[in-house]
Structure formats: structure tokens, C-alpha cells
């Protein structure tokens, strides 16, 4: 949507009359960053939803130039520039932009689907549209006991989400006076609480001060619905490979994730099954008429909406540049290079938030939009997250008018103080 909007609304003449087809089987488009707040009981799920047709209509002034095909992709053959759809039909393309997202893999954890479907077990996930509100309900009904929040070691979208909901739940339980008979654990397959040290330091302090017990390098591997037990596996250290069992009274699960089937099986994929692109130009390594962005792209970058916003600008620019070079061989390609920017609004309470922003492909460095230290919990940033960012997403990014905060930074952080 962001790339199509930028092309149609800001680069129409450079499109040279070319048409755009969006292939997406979803009837509704969701602003998924809101689901943490839905799980925390701070927003209704309806507020995260817009019909795809409505979003497409808004940018489709010339009805002939943009079409929405409500089908899923079965396969892509970049050798013959063809996408095969779920109804068996095929479409040919001159240029392809892959923005397919990442797949949640509930079946990778035996017992998880069964546990989610059984309300007596209090197992939930903010990653599923049907369960984000369930999280809020279970948090409100919770009477104390062993509460566990998990994060897998697979690639994931919004890596901060499993700890954000732990902070929101803990805050509610503290306010209700049940904290003394409640154990709160955050158990993650990752080796650190957060990839960037500056923010990891603040988050470690938040966990310490609120008595949230953190266990690293540990994956949830099974749920036993009959006994309300979760089985964990230690991924490194002296106990590597060993499993242990925890009884739980509340369990929030971030499901394992991976690339879509069509991606894994296509010639576009890297070894992990994600679309292989040059991390700076976002162009396919092997096929010059293919670009990818967002969660489906094999990038060494955290998978977030903020990353997509930034990447959409580079994909649009570089795609146009490639098109020009293809139709006029005397044209020199002018690349714009993505710097790996991503952001994670770390909700630590209903009125507190650490706004992590960083870039880079190897060593990650903070790249903050505001002049103040964003590793400090702030109510202003909580307001930005719950009230401003959804507006930016729906009214600007979806219409091609938001490419991340880069253009604002010279006003909001002129001395680049962080
Ligand atoms: C952002 O641009 C973005 O895309 C719309 C998000 O996704 C919801 C974000 O969470 C954030 C933090 C940004 C960055 C924006 C600012 C103003 C720092």
C-alpha cells in the first residue's frame, strides 16, 4: 500500500502509464502495532481494522491504473516474470514488489492451538486478531499465580511485543493488589532482552524494579493443556538442550514465525526462505526487476512497521530508477541506500514508553528522532504511540505521505544529541 501510494500519488509521470496490481487475500488490513494496546485493554480491536477496498479506493483516482486482486500467491517464478494465484490463474509482471509479511506458525508448538481454544487455560496471544482482546480479558480476570510471557528464537515481527504486554499486565496486577501472590516471568529464546545495549539497559532496570524475572536463551517447546504445564528448552550454556516444565495460571505466547511457503519455494529466497535482497537498495540479488520490503525480506533488521515506512521510500526510488534505466540504456541508475533504520515503541505501562530507534546492519546504533534521551520512560512517547502513530499510519503512510521520521529529525533533534 505504501509503495503503491507513493508511485501513484508522487511519481505518476515516471510510471509512464504503467498499471499497478495489489495482490492480497485479506478483506481487512490491520494496524498490528495497536494489538499490544488491545491486549492491555487500552484500545478496542475494531480500531485496528480497515477494509482493504476502502484503503485502495482512497489512492485510486484514476480507476484504470490500480487493481486489487483479493487472492493469495501460490508461487512466483521470477525467471518468466509470473505470479501464480490461489485460484490457479497466473499474472505476468514487468516489476514485482514483494511485501508479503511473515507467517505465524502456531503448529510448531504442540498443544498451543488446543490451549488457545480452551478458555479455562488462560493461554493467549496478541499476535492473532481473535486473541488480542482475549489477552485483556484474561489479564482482568487473573487472580494471582504464575504468569509467563514467552518469545521464540525464530525471526519475528515486532520483537518487543512479548515484553510490552508483560509490562502492561504487571502494572494492572500491581494496581489490583495481587502482585504479592503473583510471579511474573518473561522467558525468551533470544540472548538479550533487546538488541541495542542502550535500550537493553533501561529495560533490564524496568524488569528489576518491577520484579519481572527474565530468562534468556530459552524456548517454549510444548504446552500440556491437560495439566496447565509449559515445557521449555534451554538453548545455550551448561544446560543446553535440557528441558524443564513450568505450571502456569496465565500464559502469553508469541508464536514462532517464518517465511510464507511461496517465498521459501521461490528462486528469490535466501537459505532461511526470506526474499533475498541487497540490504541497501532492497533489490533482489538475482533479478533486477524484483524488490522486497518489510517482514518478508531477508534483511538483518528488526521487522517493524517503522522499518517498512523507511524501506518504502528506498524501494519506490530504486524501482523508478531501475524502470528508467530499463527503458533508456543511456540513463545511469541512481540508487538511494537504506541505512537499516527501525524503531520499536517499548510500552512499559499505560502512560510510559521507551522509544527505541536505531539503524545499521551490523553494529546497531541509536538514531533518535527527538532531542531528549528516548531510553527514559516517558508519558509523551506513550501518547505518541497510542494517539499519533495510528493517525500517521492510516492517513499518511497508507497514502504515500510518510517515509519514517527521517525528514523531521533536523527539526526535532537538530544537534543529533542521541
Ligand atoms: C514510524 O514511523 C512508524 O511507522 C508508521 C511506526 O509504526 C507504527 C512506529 O512505531 C514508529 C515509532 C515510527 C517512527 C516515528 C516517529 C515519530 C519517531
Amino acid at each position: 500500500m505504501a509503495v503503491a501510494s507513493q508511485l501513484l500519488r508522487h511519481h505518476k509521470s515516471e510510471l509512464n502509464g504503467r498499471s499497478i496490481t495489489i495482490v492480497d487475500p485479506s478483506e481487512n488490513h490491520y494496524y498490528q502495532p495497536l494489538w499490544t494496546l488491545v491486549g492491555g485493554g487500552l484500545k478496542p480491536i475494531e480500531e485496528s481494522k480497515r477494509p482493504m477496498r476502502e484503503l485502495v479506493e482512497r489512492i485510486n483516482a484514476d480507476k484504470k491504473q490500480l487493481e486489487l486482486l483479493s487472492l493469495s500467491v501460490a508461487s512466483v517464478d521470477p525467471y518468466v516474470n509470473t505470479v501464480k494465484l490461489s485460484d490457479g490463474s497466473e499474472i505476468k509482471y514487468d516489476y514485482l514488489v514483494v511485501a508479503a509479511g511473515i507467517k505465524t506458525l502456531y503448529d510448531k508448538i504442540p498443544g498451543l492451538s488446543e490451549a488457545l481454544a480452551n478458555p479455562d487455560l488462560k493461554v493467549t496471544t496478541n499476535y492473532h486478531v481473535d486473541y488480542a482482546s482475549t489477552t485483556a480479558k484474561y489479564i482482568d480476570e487473573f487472580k494471582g499465580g504464575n504468569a509467563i510471557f514467552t518469545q521464540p528464537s525464530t525471526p519475528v515481527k515486532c520483537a518487543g511485543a512479548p515484553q510490552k504486554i508483560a509490562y502492561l499486565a504487571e502494572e494492572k496486577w500491581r494496581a489490583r493488589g495481587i502482585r504479592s501472590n503473583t510471579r511474573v516471568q518473561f522467558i525468551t529464546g533470544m540472548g538479550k532482552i533487546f538488541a541495542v545495549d542502550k535500550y537493553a539497559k533501561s529495560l533490564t532496570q524496568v524488569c528489576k524494579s518491577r520484579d519481572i524475572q527474565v530468562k534468556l536463551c530459552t524456548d517454549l517447546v510444548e504446552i500440556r493443556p491437560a495439566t496447565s504445564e509449559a515445557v521449555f528448552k534451554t538453548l545455550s550454556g551448561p544446560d543446553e538442550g535440557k528441558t524443564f516444565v513450568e505450571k502456569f495460571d496465565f500464559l502469553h505466547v508469541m508464536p514462532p514465525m517464518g517465511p510464507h511457503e511461496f517465498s521459501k519455494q521461490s528462486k528469490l529466497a535466501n537459505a532461511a526462505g526470506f526474499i533475498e535482497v541487497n540490504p541497501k537498495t532492497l533489490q533482489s540479488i538475482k533479478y533486477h526487476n524484483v524488490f522486497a520490503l518489510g517482514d518478508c525480506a531477508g534483511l538483518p533488521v528488526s521487522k517493524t512497521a517503522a522499518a517498512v515506512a523507511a524501506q518504502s521510500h528506498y524501494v519506490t526510488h530504486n524501482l523508478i530508477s531501475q524502470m528508467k534505466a530499463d527503458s533508456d540504456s543511456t540513463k545511469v541508475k541512481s540508487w538511494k541506500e537504506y541505512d537499516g533504520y527501525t524503531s520499536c515503541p517499548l510500552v512499559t505501562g499505560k502512560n510510559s514508553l521507551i522509544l527505541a530507534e536505531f539503524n545499521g546492519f551490523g553494529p546497531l546504533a541509536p538514531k533518535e528522532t527527538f532531542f531528549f534521551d528516548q531510553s527514559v520512560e516517558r508519558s509523551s512517547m506513550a501518547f505518541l504511540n497510542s494517539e499519533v502513530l495510528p493517525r500517521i499510519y492510516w492517513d499518511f503512510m497508507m497514502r504515500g505521505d510518510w517515509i519514517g521520521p527521517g525528514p523531521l529529525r533536523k527539526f526535532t533533534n537538530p544537534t543529533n544529541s542521541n
Side-chain angles (χ1 to χ4, degrees):
M1 281 298 306
V3 173
S5 301
Q6 284 173 43
L7 290 169
L8 284 174
R9 295 193 60 237
H10 302 307
H11 299 275
K12 202 167 163 87
S13 62
E14 290 152 294
L15 272 181
N16 251 330
R18 287 190 177 90
S19 64
I20 298 176
T21 304
I22 296 179
V23 180
D24 190 329
S26 319
E27 190 183 331
N28 295 303
H29 179 84
Y30 290 93
Y31 177 66
Q32 292 180 47
L34 207 73
W35 291 359
T36 287
L37 301 181
V38 173
L42 301 170
K43 291 279 183 188
I45 188 82
E46 291 74 28
E47 234 178 89
S48 68
K49 178 170 108 174
R50 296 278 171 93
M52 271 299 286
R53 296 250 156 235
E54 197 177 280
L55 297 176
V56 167
E57 284 311 309
R58 288 201 307 183
I59 56 161
N60 202 10
D62 178 353
K63 302 279 182 225
K64 286 190 291 292
Q65 223 175 351
L66 174 63
E67 188 189 357
L68 172 63
L69 270 183
S70 301
L71 292 166
S72 59
V73 172
S75 62
V76 179
D77 188 344
Y79 194 67
V80 289
N81 299 327
T82 305
V83 175
K84 201 176 216 176
L85 303 170
S86 48
D87 67 350
S89 64
E90 282 186 353
I91 43 176
K92 280 245 174 217
Y93 61 81
D94 297 309
Y95 297 92
L96 176 69
V97 175
V98 190
I102 192 169
K103 200 171 165 194
T104 42
L105 305 169
Y106 293 93
D107 292 344
K108 277 220 164 165
I109 297 183
L112 175 55
S113 294
E114 186 191 334
L116 283 167
N118 182 349
D120 295 337
L121 295 177
K122 312 296 176 203
V123 176
T124 185
T125 178
N126 284 349
Y127 274 83
H128 195 295
V129 62
D130 295 341
Y131 292 106
S133 333
T134 305
T135 304
K137 185 168 176 280
Y138 292 170
I139 289 173
D140 284 343
E141 290 169 357
F142 187 67
K143 297 197 169 63
N146 196 12
I148 303 177
F149 298 81
T150 72
Q151 172 166 4
S153 59
T154 63
V156 292
K157 53 181 166 182
C158 194
Q163 57 185 292
K164 297 177 198 177
I165 191 61
Y167 301 137
L168 286 173
E170 196 278 339
E171 182 180 60
K172 282 200 157 182
W173 295 333
R174 189 173 293 271
R176 288 227 321 270
I178 57 167
R179 200 53 188 88
S180 56
N181 61 338
T182 297
R183 181 177 183 210
V184 181
Q185 291 187 83
F186 174 51
I187 305 183
T188 170
M190 307 308 288
K192 289 177 175 180
I193 191 164
F194 200 77
V196 186
D197 290 343
K198 172 170 175 167
Y199 307 110
K201 230 164 121 182
S202 302
L203 293 165
T204 301
Q205 194 46 44
V206 169
C207 290
K208 210 174 257 171
S209 69
R210 293 168 60 177
D211 191 24
I212 296 171
Q213 297 164 17
V214 181
K215 199 170 262 155
L216 305 172
C217 300
T218 308
D219 260 345
L220 172 68
V221 291
E222 186 190 343
I223 296 176
R224 296 175 181 159
T227 49
S228 282
E229 285 173 326
V231 184
F232 292 92
K233 186 176 182 174
T234 306
L235 303 178
S236 75
D239 290 332
E240 185 176 333
K242 286 195 185 142
T243 60
F244 63 93
V245 175
E246 289 266 355
K247 246 183 133 48
F248 62 83
D249 302 289
F250 173 100
L251 176 63
H252 180 276
V253 178
M254 181 198 223
M257 299 179 208
H260 286 282
E261 229 26 65
F262 85 83
S263 174
K264 272 203 288 199
Q265 284 165 17
S266 83
K267 297 187 185 84
L268 297 168
N270 64 15
F274 293 100
I275 307 292
E276 186 170 32
V277 290
N278 175 323
K280 291 181 176 162
T281 62
L282 304 172
Q283 184 180 41
S284 164
I285 300 287
K286 299 177 209 134
Y287 301 90
H288 72 266
N289 60 340
V290 178
F291 292 79
L293 73 164
D295 301 348
C296 74
L299 292 168
V301 168
S302 306
K303 299 178 184 299
T304 68
V308 179
Q311 290 162 17
S312 67
H313 173 62
Y314 299 93
V315 168
T316 304
H317 177 92
N318 294 338
L319 172 61
I320 293 271
S321 180
Q322 182 66 52
M323 281 176 181
K324 283 183 181 163
D326 288 343
S327 53
D328 177 353
S329 56
T330 64
K331 282 245 157 59
V332 179
K333 273 179 262 180
S334 81
W335 297 117
K336 272 195 183 176
E337 295 193 339
Y338 174 51
D339 58 5
Y341 172 80
T342 188
S343 170
C344 179
L346 289 148
V347 176
T348 56
K350 80 175 187 277
N351 288 316
S352 57
L353 187 142
I354 291 168
L355 183 59
E357 284 186 283
F358 48 101
N359 65 12
F361 294 114
L364 302 172
K367 177 91 181 170
E368 301 190 340
T369 294
F370 300 104
F371 60 89
F372 45 76
D373 182 356
Q374 291 176 203
S375 69
V376 173
E377 294 178 86
R378 291 177 192 275
S379 59
S380 57
M381 294 295 99
F383 179 80
L384 175 83
N385 183 52
S386 67
E387 308 308 320
V388 183
L389 288 175
R391 289 270 73 79
I392 288 178
Y393 186 81
W394 291 121
D395 295 337
F396 293 87
M397 185 170 158
M398 290 297 100
R399 301 174 71 215
D401 295 332
W402 179 257
I403 56 168
L408 299 181
R409 208 170 282 131
K410 57 181 175 290
F411 306 108
T412 51
N413 189 4
T415 58
N416 206 7
S417 52
N418 297 290

